[in-house]
Amino acid sequence: IVVTAGTTTVKIPATVNGNPFGDMEGHWAEEYTTQLYNEGVINGFEENGVYNYHPDENMTRAQFAVVMANKLGLQTLPFEDTDDIPDWALSAVKAVYEAGYLTGVGGADGKLYFNSDSPITRAEAMTLIGRTMTELDENAPLDFTDADEIPQWAVIYMRTLAAKGIINGYDGKIMPLANITRAEVAKIMATM
């Protein structure tokens, strides 16, 4: 395991039979911290070549969130390219993913990607928007001349958005595989 604390990185064994922390020996929580460390739930701080836990310091809200996510096995972003998501977008991507609206794109290698710099298609955008709806209309008509181009996974969402008047297409077409523009997104979001 590689642990980074500030600008210092230290390699420590992935599993430790005894106490991994230099400041936990004899502490009443030694057994618990060792167990959670071995489960990958908690980490410590490297200081002067010693790996410490700081058991009597207050835990921050951010640290607690990490511990909870680790203990519950929550993986906020399963994308192979999570490191490529710009910092300014990361919390929003996490929020939309955790809410269940965003699922990612399967790659040719069988792995899941976010593709943060790739344009989003109209079908993809409308699917994400449609997933926010509490009621879907699977029988609403799709009176677009290119409705047969809508990917199957997007049909119910596009039906619902069209029925609600949120989308209306261009000259009788919905153009599901075309990239959506920023202006189109503004119109759709304002109409919602």
Side-chain angles (χ1 to χ4, degrees), residues 28-108:
W28 65 266
E30 178 180 2
E31 176 184 342
Y32 307 115
T33 57
T34 300
Q35 174 189 335
L36 292 175
Y37 171 81
N38 287 332
E39 291 175 7
V41 174
I42 62 170
N43 289 308
F45 307 89
E46 192 280 327
E47 299 163 324
N48 301 318
V50 178
Y51 196 58
N52 292 317
Y53 184 67
H54 297 234
D56 298 318
E57 286 185 5
N58 293 327
M59 182 171 275
T60 66
R61 294 171 62 86
Q63 291 168 341
F64 187 76
V66 170
V67 170
M68 285 294 295
N70 289 344
K71 182 63 178 172
L72 297 174
L74 302 176
Q75 183 179 11
T76 54
L77 293 176
F79 308 123
E80 290 294 314
D81 59 346
T82 296
D83 291 342
D84 296 338
I85 299 172
D87 289 343
W88 58 265
L90 190 58
S91 63
V93 172
K94 285 180 180 178
V96 175
Y97 173 78
E98 288 172 1
Y101 306 138
L102 174 72
T103 59
V105 178

Side-chain angles (χ1 to χ4, degrees), residues 144-160:
F144 302 105
T145 59
D146 58 350
D148 59 333
E149 295 176 20
I150 300 171
Q152 193 58 44
W153 45 264
V155 170
I156 191 170
Y157 304 112
M158 294 183 94
R159 284 182 186 278
T160 301

Side-chain angles (χ1 to χ4, degrees), residues 123-144:
E124 291 168 334
M126 292 176 203
T127 297
L128 269 70
I129 293 167
R131 287 178 180 155
T132 68
M133 303 287 172
T134 55
E135 293 182 24
L136 299 174
D137 189 349
E138 62 185 73
N139 297 316
L142 274 174
D143 297 327
F144 302 105

